Amino acid sequence: MELNAAGTLVLETLQQAASQDVGVLKPAEQRLKQWETEPGFYSVLLNIVSNHAIDVNVRWLAVLYFKNGIDRFWRKAAPNAISEAEKIPLRQGLASCFTEPVNQIATQIAVLISKIARVEWPRDWPELIPVILEAVKSNNPLVQHRAILTLHHVVKTLSSKRLVGDRKLFQELTAGVFEFVLSVWSSHLQAFLSQMSEETPTMAESLEKALLTLRILRKLVVYGYRNPHESQEVRLFLSMVFDRAKTMLECRKSLLSRDKTALAEVCEKFVIHLTKILLDVLEHHPLSFVEYIHMSLEFAGYYVFTPTGEGLLFERFIVQCLNLVKAILLCVEYKPGKVVEDKKEPEVLRAHELKMSFFTEVTLTEFCRKLVTHYFLLTKADLEQWDSDPEGFAIDEGGESWKYSLRPCTETVFVTLFHEFRATLSPVLLSMVQSSHSLVPPDDLTAILRKDAVYNAVGLAAFDFYDEVNFDQWFSTTLTQELRVKEGNYRVIRRRVTWLIGQWTGVKLSQELRPALYAAMLPLLGRGEDMAVRLTASSTLKLAIDDFEFNTDQFLPFLETAFSLLFALLQEAQECDTKMHVLYVLSFIIERVGFSIRPFANSLVQYLPQLWQQSAEHNMLRCAIVSTMVHLVKAFGMVTETLYPFLVPMVALSTDLSQPAHVYLMEDGLELWLAVLENSSQVTPELLQLFRNMPHLLEHCTDNIRTCFYIIQANILLAPDLFLKTYGEPIIMHCDDMLSDMRSEGVVLTMRLVETYLRAAPSLATDVVKPILPRVFLAVYKGEEYPMVMSMYLSVMSRVLLNSLQAFSQVVQKVANLVGERQEVVLDKILDVWLDKMALVTQLERRKLLGLALASLLTAQSSAVLERFCGIVLCVTEALNDMMKIDEEGSLYDSLMFSNNHLSSGSEDDVDYETEHDHRRKLLSATDPVYTTVLRDYFQRQVAELQSQVGPVQFEQLIQTIDVETLQQARAFIVM
C-alpha cells in the first residue's frame, strides 16, 4: 500500500463506515477488516486520527480500529503481528498526540498508549514516561491536560500487572514520579481553590486536572510501595486527605448554592476518590494504615454521626465513610491473636488500642442511636417508591449492594458494630425496644416509622440479641396483635413485623409456635393485603420451612391455603424478579412436603406453560420455572401424558447447545430431563428424540457429565433394545473418545455406563460396546490402574465373558493385534492381572460377579486357564467366603440372591422416594446373574464339567496344583 494513496482510500472507507446507510456501511467494514493485517494500515490510521481537520466521527472510528488492532496484533508473537519497523514511527507519533481537541478521542488515544505501554514499557519504549512528564510541565493548558490524562491511563494499566518483576518495575516508577505528581496535584488543587472565590473560567479545568492527578496518586500509593508508611511523601499525602476532603465538601456546598451543579458533581467525585484512597490503603496495606485509624474514625464520625456535618453530606460520601468504619472494625490485622508473626504483633496491638480508644461507650451509644433513629427511618422517597413500585421496594437488594447503597450499607455497619460491641449495645437496643413496645396510633406516621426502624435493628441483630428478648412471648402478644391492625399506615408495621418474625424464626422461636406462625402468615398473603407485605410474608414462610426443625406434619393443615395464596401472588406479580421470588418459594415448599403437594399442584402445572411463553426474554425466570418443574415431577411420582407437550420442549430448549438460553438453563434442564425419565412408565417418541441433544452435551459439557450419564442409564432401563439400536453405538463411540482425557472418576462413571448396557440387554449390548472393549482389556493387560478403576474394568470384562465367551476371545485377539503379541500371551497376562487385582475389589456384588466370570472360564478348554487353576479356585473360594452366610437352621446360603432381598441400590444417585426408575432397577436385578445365580452351585457345576472334559487323571493333576489350605476352604463349599 502506497502511503498517500492508501491514506485516501482508508479515509474514504472510514467515511463510508461512519455512514447510517447499511448498504454502504457493511462493505466498508468488511474492507477495513481485510486491511487489519496489511503493513502500514495503522500508520495510516494514526495520520487520520492526528489530522484535526477530518470529521470527528471518522477520526473516532479510526482510533477505535487502531485500539482494537493493538489488542490483536501488537505483541511480537501474535499472528500477523505489526512489524518492528512500523512500530517505531507509531510510538513516536502517539507520544506527541497531546493536542487532541476532542475529549472522547483524547481518552481513546490515552487508553491506546496505555495498552502499548503494558507490552513495551520499559524495555522497548523507555522514553514514554519522560515524554509524558515533560508534557505535564507544558504551559499549554490543553497539552498539560492530555498529558495528565495519558499518564493516568498508563499508570492505571501498569499498576494492574501482578507478576513479581512487573510489580518491582512499577515500584521503581513510583519512586521516581510520586513527588512530582504530588506537587502537580497540589498546584492544580490550589489553583482551583483560588479560582473558586473569583469564579474564573478556568476553574473547571483546574479541578479536572486535580481529579486526574488524584487518580494517579491513588494507584501509585496502593500499588507502588511495599510499605507505604515508610515513605515520607506518602505519609504527607495521606495526612492531607482528611483536610482536603473537608475543603472539597465545603466547595461542593458553595457551588450548589451558586447553581453550578456540574462542578459540584466533580467535587463529589473528588471527595469520593479521597475516601477510596483511604479504603484501598486499609485493604492492601493495613499495617501502613495504623496511624490513620483514629483520624479516619473521627473523620467518619464527625460527618456521619454529628449534626455538624449534615449540611455537607451526600449519599455516596456517607456510604464511603460507613464502609471505612466497617472495614476498620473487620480488619483481621487489627485483632490481637489473629496475626501470628511476632514482628507485626506490636502494630496489631497498637491498632486494636486505637480502635478501642475511639469506640467508647458514649460513642457507641451515639452511633447506634443515630443509625437506628436516623438512617434506618423510611424516607419520603422510600414511601413513594412503595406506592409506585411495591414489588421493586419489597425485593431486598442482595450481593454487595452495601458498597454502594445507603440503606444496605447502614444495616451492615449496624450489624458489625453490634457484633463487635454486643455487651455495650445490647442495653441500648433493649431500651429502644421497650420504648417502642406499646401499639402506636395508626395515623401517627412518625411513630410508625420510628417503630419500624427499631424492629429493623432487632431483626438485624437477632443472632447477637438472642438472650435479651423472650421472642416467644413477644410473638404471641404484641407482634401478632400488630399484624392484625389494618388501618392507616400500619402496612409499614405489618411488613416489618413479618420480616422480623422471619429473621428470628431460626434463632429463637419454639417448635410449638410454628403452627401459629403459619396461621399468622396466611392472611398476609391474601389479595386484599399490600403487595410488599404479601411478598415479605412469602419470604418469611420460606424461612420458616427452611428451618432445621421444620416439621412437615405441622405444616400440612396450612399447605392447601398457603399454596393457593402463593399461586395467586405469582399470577398477580408483574415484575420478572418478583415472579422468580414467589416461584422459588413455591418450589421450595414442593421440595419439602414431597408427595403431599399432589392434590394442590394442578393449578400451577396449568399456569407454568403460560408463564414459560411469557418469559421468553427472561432466562433467569425460565431457570426458576425449570427448577420448579424438577420438584413437581418428583413430587408427582409419575409423568402423565398431558405433561409431555410442555416438558419435552422445555428440556429440548434447555439442553440444546445451539440455543443461547442453554447457558442459563442447562443444569436445571438436565435435572428435569433425568426426573422425567425416572418418573416415566414408558418411552415415547418425543422422549427418544430428546436424545439428539446428548452427543453435543458429551462433547462440550464436561461439568455436567455425571448427570448426562445418569440420563443415558435411565434411557437404557426405560427401553433397552430400542435405545441401544437407535443411540447405543454413537454413545459408546463418544465415550471411547472421552476416556483418553478422563480422570479416574470419569473412567469409573463411563465403565458403570458400559456395565448398564451389558446388564440391560446382554445379547444386543455385547456387540454395541465392542468399540470400547479393547481399551478396557488393554488397561487390564497393562495392570497399572487405580483400584477403583481396575475394579470397574474387571467388572465390564466379567460381564462380557458371562454374556459371550466368543466376544471375549475376539476382544483378546484385538488387543493382541494392538500390542503385537500372540493371543495366548495376552490372555496369560490378563488372567495374571485379574487374579492379582481381584483382592482389591471390595464391593461384595462385584466380587461375586468376578467369581462367576472366573468360574465360567473353567470350561473354556484353555491351557492358560488350566495353568492358573489354583489361582482361580482361590479367588472364587475367597468370594464365597465373603458372601455365604449361615441361616437359622445352620445351612449356608448366598446372601446376594434376589430372593433374600439383599439387593444393592445399583445406582450412584440415591433417592429417598420410589420412582418408576427404581422399579426398573429392581426388575433388572431380577435378571442379573449376580442376584439370580448361586455362586457355590455354579462353581460346583463348572468344576464337574471340567472334570468331565479333562478326565479323572488330568483333573487329579489339577487338584494337586492347589495348596492344602485353599483346597480345604474350597471343599467346605463344593465337592472336589
Side-chain angles (χ1 to χ4, degrees):
M1 295 173 78
E2 291 294 324
L3 192 57
N4 291 337
T8 305
L9 182 58
V10 172
L11 178 58
E12 290 174 354
T13 308
L14 284 168
Q15 289 168 340
Q16 292 166 0
S19 168
Q20 300 299 314
D21 185 349
V22 177
V24 176
L25 182 149
K26 290 293 182 185
E29 286 182 340
Q30 290 174 359
R31 285 197 297 275
L32 289 167
K33 186 170 183 60
Q34 292 170 358
W35 293 338
E36 284 179 344
T37 56
E38 289 286 332
F41 177 62
Y42 296 99
S43 299
V44 172
L45 288 179
L46 180 58
N47 288 337
I48 292 171
V49 172
S50 305
N51 189 339
H52 302 160
I54 296 173
D55 180 72
V56 170
N57 291 328
V58 174
R59 294 199 301 121
W60 168 258
L61 204 55
V63 78
L64 290 182
Y65 270 95
F66 197 169
K67 188 177 72 171
N68 292 336
I70 297 301
D71 287 333
R72 297 171 61 190
F73 306 115
W74 193 273
R75 290 183 182 273
K76 295 175 183 177
N80 303 306
I82 300 171
S83 69
E84 290 300 313
E86 186 175 357
K87 285 181 180 179
I88 295 171
L90 287 176
R91 287 193 293 258
Q92 292 172 346
L94 287 169
S96 60
C97 282
F98 296 128
T99 57
E100 173 56 54
V102 181
N103 198 51
Q104 290 87 341
I105 295 177
T107 301
Q108 292 301 319
I109 293 172
V111 171
L112 194 156
I113 292 172
S114 72
K115 286 178 177 290
I116 297 175
R118 184 180 184 90
V119 178
E120 301 213 333
W121 182 87
R123 187 180 64 251
D124 297 317
W125 203 3
E127 68 274 13
L128 172 64
I129 301 298
V131 168
I132 296 175
L133 295 179
E134 192 61 34
V136 170
K137 301 174 186 176
S138 171
N139 293 324
N140 184 322
L142 180 62
V143 170
Q144 190 181 63
H145 181 276
R146 298 316 187 215
I148 295 173
L149 178 66
T150 303
L151 183 60
H152 161 58
H153 283 284
V154 169
V155 167
K156 181 180 177 182
T157 299
L158 295 179
S159 70
S160 67
K161 300 178 78 173
R162 291 291 176 264
L163 294 177
V164 175
D166 294 326
R167 294 180 72 168
K168 187 175 180 181
L169 284 172
F170 189 72
Q171 288 167 6
E172 292 172 359
L173 169 65
T174 301
V177 304
F178 185 83
E179 190 173 356
F180 170 71
V181 176
L182 181 61
S183 67
V184 172
W185 175 67
S186 298
S187 63
H188 287 302
L189 182 58
Q190 196 58 49
F192 165 72
L193 296 175
S194 302
Q195 293 159 1
M196 268 285 293
S197 56
E198 303 170 9
E199 293 195 24
T200 58
T202 56
M203 185 166 54
E205 184 182 314
S206 296
L207 182 57
E208 178 66 26
K209 291 176 183 176
L211 178 58
L212 279 173
T213 318
L214 182 62
R215 287 176 167 157
I216 298 169
L217 288 171
R218 176 188 168 199
K219 296 296 182 184
L220 295 177
V221 169
V222 175
Y223 301 106
Y225 294 94
R226 292 190 63 181
N227 299 299
H229 67 283
E230 294 175 357
S231 165
Q232 184 177 347
E233 290 83 5
V234 172
R235 292 200 305 274
L236 171 65
F237 170 62
L238 291 176
S239 63
M240 293 168 64
V241 165
F242 302 97
D243 184 58
R244 294 295 179 265
K246 179 180 180 181
T247 303
M248 296 306 289
L249 285 168
E250 290 169 349
C251 288
R252 171 186 171 273
K253 182 179 180 181
S254 173
L255 289 167
L256 286 174
S257 67
R258 304 183 213 171
D259 288 330
K260 295 187 179 295
T261 308
L263 265 179
E265 289 176 355
V266 181
C267 282
E268 288 184 6
K269 291 180 182 178
F270 198 99
V271 172
I272 293 303
H273 221 80
L274 288 169
T275 57
K276 282 182 178 179
I277 291 168
L278 297 175
L279 283 163
D280 283 355
V281 174
L282 173 57
E283 179 184 352
H284 294 279
H285 306 283
L287 296 179
S288 292
F289 192 79
V290 170
E291 64 181 282
Y292 306 101
I293 290 175
H294 205 275
M295 294 170 67
S296 298
L297 292 172
E298 282 192 335
F299 175 79
Y302 174 80
Y303 287 107
V304 179
F305 293 102
T306 66
T308 318
E310 286 180 4
L312 302 171
L313 298 177
F314 56 95
E315 183 172 315
R316 187 70 196 281
F317 175 63
I318 299 172
V319 170
Q320 290 291 98
C321 287
L322 290 174
N323 285 339
L324 186 59
V325 173
K326 179 186 173 186
I328 291 172
L329 285 169
L330 293 180
C331 184
V332 175
E333 284 80 358
Y334 299 165
K335 296 181 179 181
K338 298 290 184 182
V339 180
V340 181
E341 298 175 53
D342 293 336
K343 63 180 181 180
K344 291 184 177 180
E345 197 62 32
E347 284 300 297
V348 173
L349 291 172
R350 180 165 172 255
H352 181 69
E353 289 168 1
L354 287 169
K355 183 172 70 172
M356 299 306 292
S357 68
F358 176 81
F359 286 111
T360 62
E361 184 176 348
V362 173
T363 301
L364 286 168
T365 302
E366 288 179 1
F367 276 28
C368 180
R369 289 192 177 277
K370 184 66 179 276
L371 284 169
V372 176
T373 61
H374 180 76
Y375 290 109
F376 280 11
L377 290 177
L378 292 176
T379 64
K380 184 180 178 182
D382 292 329
L383 296 174
E384 287 174 354
Q385 186 196 358
W386 189 337
D387 289 329
S388 61
D389 180 21
E391 294 181 26
F393 177 79
I395 300 299
D396 291 335
E397 294 180 89
E400 296 190 335
S401 58
W402 56 269
K403 288 185 177 180
Y404 315 104
S405 300
L406 181 58
R407 186 168 299 282
C409 177
T410 55
E411 290 176 350
T412 57
V413 169
F414 173 81
V415 170
T416 305
L417 275 170
F418 204 93
H419 183 72
E420 290 286 319
F421 304 101
R422 174 171 41 195
T424 304
L425 293 180
S426 289
V428 179
L429 184 56
L430 187 60
S431 70
M432 296 170 78
V433 173
Q434 291 168 345
S435 65
S436 304
H437 185 70
S438 58
L439 294 176
V440 297
D443 55 351
D444 188 347
L445 180 59
T446 303
I448 285 173
L449 294 180
R450 278 202 302 269
K451 174 171 275 200
D452 174 81
V454 172
Y455 281 10
N456 187 18
V458 175
L460 293 170
F463 283 97
D464 292 304
F465 204 46
Y466 180 91
D467 293 324
E468 310 299 327
V469 176
N470 184 341
F471 194 77
D472 283 359
Q473 182 181 350
W474 194 19
F475 168 78
S476 303
T477 55
T478 307
L479 296 181
T480 51
Q481 187 179 355
E482 287 176 323
L483 289 176
R484 291 192 285 268
V485 181
K486 302 292 183 183
E487 297 85 3
N489 293 297
Y490 245 74
R491 64 172 182 168
V492 175
I493 298 297
R494 290 197 303 279
R495 171 181 166 271
R496 182 58 68 190
V497 169
T498 303
W499 172 84
L500 176 64
I501 292 170
Q503 297 302 110
W504 277 78
T505 295
V507 176
K508 198 177 182 182
L509 183 69
S510 300
Q511 183 73 22
E512 296 75 21
L513 287 176
R514 296 306 169 96
L517 184 155
Y518 305 141
M521 290 302 108
L522 295 185
L524 302 174
L525 289 167
R527 277 193 168 89
E529 185 55 85
D530 179 90
M531 177 59 84
V533 177
R534 295 170 73 186
L535 291 171
T536 307
S538 70
S539 299
T540 296
L541 194 60
K542 188 264 171 188
L543 289 169
I545 294 171
D546 194 18
D547 187 62
F548 179 75
E549 295 183 349
F550 173 71
N551 185 320
T552 306
D553 293 335
Q554 283 186 320
F555 183 66
L556 287 181
F558 307 94
L559 176 58
E560 181 178 3
T561 307
F563 196 87
S564 300
L565 291 170
L566 285 166
F567 177 61
L569 179 58
L570 175 65
Q571 289 178 298
E572 291 175 47
Q574 300 297 317
E575 299 295 328
C576 177
D577 286 348
T578 313
K579 288 182 181 292
M580 282 177 57
H581 168 79
V582 180
L583 199 55
Y584 175 60
V585 177
L586 280 166
S587 179
F588 196 83
I589 291 174
I590 294 166
E591 184 181 10
R592 293 307 297 264
V593 302
F595 292 150
S596 301
I597 203 67
R598 289 178 181 176
F600 321 118
N602 284 333
S603 55
L604 182 60
V605 170
Q606 292 168 9
Y607 172 67
L608 285 179
Q610 177 188 339
L611 183 60
W612 179 262
Q613 294 299 327
Q614 294 171 351
S615 61
E617 303 300 320
H618 303 285
N619 287 316
M620 295 308 295
L621 177 54
R622 284 199 156 184
C623 189
I625 296 171
V626 177
S627 177
T628 302
M629 287 308 304
V630 173
H631 297 306
L632 272 174
V633 168
K634 289 181 178 180
F636 283 146
M638 182 181 291
V639 180
T640 60
E641 291 184 5
T642 55
L643 282 176
Y644 284 125
F646 173 46
L647 287 174
V648 173
M650 181 185 290
V651 173
L653 175 72
S654 302
T655 59
D656 185 351
L657 295 183
S658 67
Q659 297 289 337
H662 86 271
V663 175
Y664 303 91
L665 307 178
M666 173 66 70
E667 191 168 342
D668 288 315
L670 289 172
E671 290 292 338
L672 180 58
W673 191 354
L674 181 59
V676 170
L677 289 170
E678 289 185 340
N679 291 281
S680 293
S681 59
Q682 59 185 7
V683 72
T684 66
E686 294 81 9
L687 273 181
L688 201 59
Q689 285 176 3
L690 271 180
F691 211 81
R692 289 179 296 186
N693 287 350
M694 185 56 71
H696 295 296
L697 293 172
L698 292 177
E699 285 181 24
H700 302 290
C701 295
T702 53
D703 290 345
N704 296 299
I705 195 73
R706 182 181 293 272
T707 310
C708 289
F709 277 9
Y710 292 165
I711 289 168
I712 298 170
Q713 289 172 334
N715 271 289
I716 294 170
L717 296 193
L718 186 60
D721 291 350
L722 178 60
F723 180 80
L724 262 61
K725 288 175 183 175
T726 311
Y727 295 109
E729 202 163 323
I731 294 300
I732 287 295
M733 298 297 287
H734 276 291
C735 290
D736 190 37
D737 290 339
M738 291 189 298
L739 272 177
S740 58
D741 296 324
M742 277 186 170
R743 295 180 180 178
S744 56
E745 184 183 4
V747 175
V748 169
L749 279 173
T750 307
M751 290 301 103
R752 282 175 177 161
L753 178 61
V754 174
E755 188 180 23
T756 304
Y757 270 67
L758 295 166
R759 291 179 68 201
S763 57
L764 178 61
T766 306
D767 287 331
V768 173
V769 302
K770 269 188 179 177
I772 206 172
L773 293 180
R775 186 187 294 272
V776 176
F777 280 48
L778 185 60
V780 176
Y781 171 80
K782 293 179 178 178
E784 299 171 354
E785 295 294 340
Y786 293 111
M788 191 64 186
V789 175
M790 181 58 73
S791 173
M792 288 310 305
Y793 281 153
L794 291 173
S795 297
V796 169
M797 185 181 289
S798 298
R799 295 281 180 190
V800 173
L801 181 57
L802 290 172
N803 288 353
S804 169
L805 178 58
Q806 182 183 3
F808 181 87
S809 299
Q810 290 172 351
V811 179
V812 172
Q813 181 61 57
K814 184 72 181 280
V815 174
N817 295 339
L818 290 173
V819 299
E821 289 281 3
R822 290 181 297 108
Q823 183 178 6
E824 294 77 9
V825 174
V826 171
L827 181 59
D828 284 348
K829 184 64 184 295
I830 286 176
L831 288 175
D832 286 339
V833 172
W834 188 338
L835 296 174
D836 179 54
K837 301 293 186 182
M838 187 165 166
L840 301 176
V841 179
T842 56
Q843 193 176 348
L844 200 56
E845 291 84 351
R846 300 204 178 282
R847 288 183 64 76
K848 180 176 178 180
L849 173 64
L850 269 59
L852 286 168
L854 283 173
S856 75
L857 278 172
L858 291 176
T859 57
Q861 299 183 4
S862 166
S863 59
V865 172
L866 296 181
E867 287 170 7
R868 291 160 181 80
F869 182 67
C870 175
I872 291 173
V873 170
L874 174 62
C875 286
V876 176
T877 302
E878 287 179 342
L880 284 168
N881 275 325
D882 291 335
M883 72 197 60
M884 298 301 289
K885 307 295 181 186
I886 301 176
D887 61 18
E888 295 175 355
E889 297 176 358
S891 302
L892 286 172
Y893 70 93
D894 191 325
S895 63
L896 290 177
M897 289 301 290
F898 186 83
S899 58
N900 291 318
N901 296 317
H902 286 100
L903 289 180
S904 70
S905 65
S907 173
E908 296 75 28
D909 52 330
D910 294 332
V911 289
D912 56 2
Y913 59 93
E914 182 77 9
T915 65
E916 292 290 320
H917 184 67
D918 296 325
H919 179 63
R920 288 189 285 271
R921 286 187 306 186
K922 288 183 178 179
L923 291 178
L924 181 63
S925 296
T927 61
D928 191 329
V930 173
Y931 304 112
T932 58
T933 303
V934 178
L935 177 58
R936 181 177 65 169
D937 296 347
Y938 182 69
F939 188 29
Q940 179 71 76
R941 289 196 301 272
Q942 288 297 99
V943 169
E945 176 66 22
L946 174 63
Q947 185 174 6
S948 174
Q949 286 178 354
V950 302
V953 176
Q954 188 176 353
F955 184 74
E956 185 60 33
Q957 292 173 351
L958 289 173
I959 295 294
Q960 296 300 320
T961 64
I962 305 174
D963 62 273
V964 175
E965 185 179 351
T966 301
L967 185 61
Q968 184 179 355
Q969 289 186 33
R971 283 174 171 167
F973 297 110
I974 64 171
V975 177
M976 296 187 74

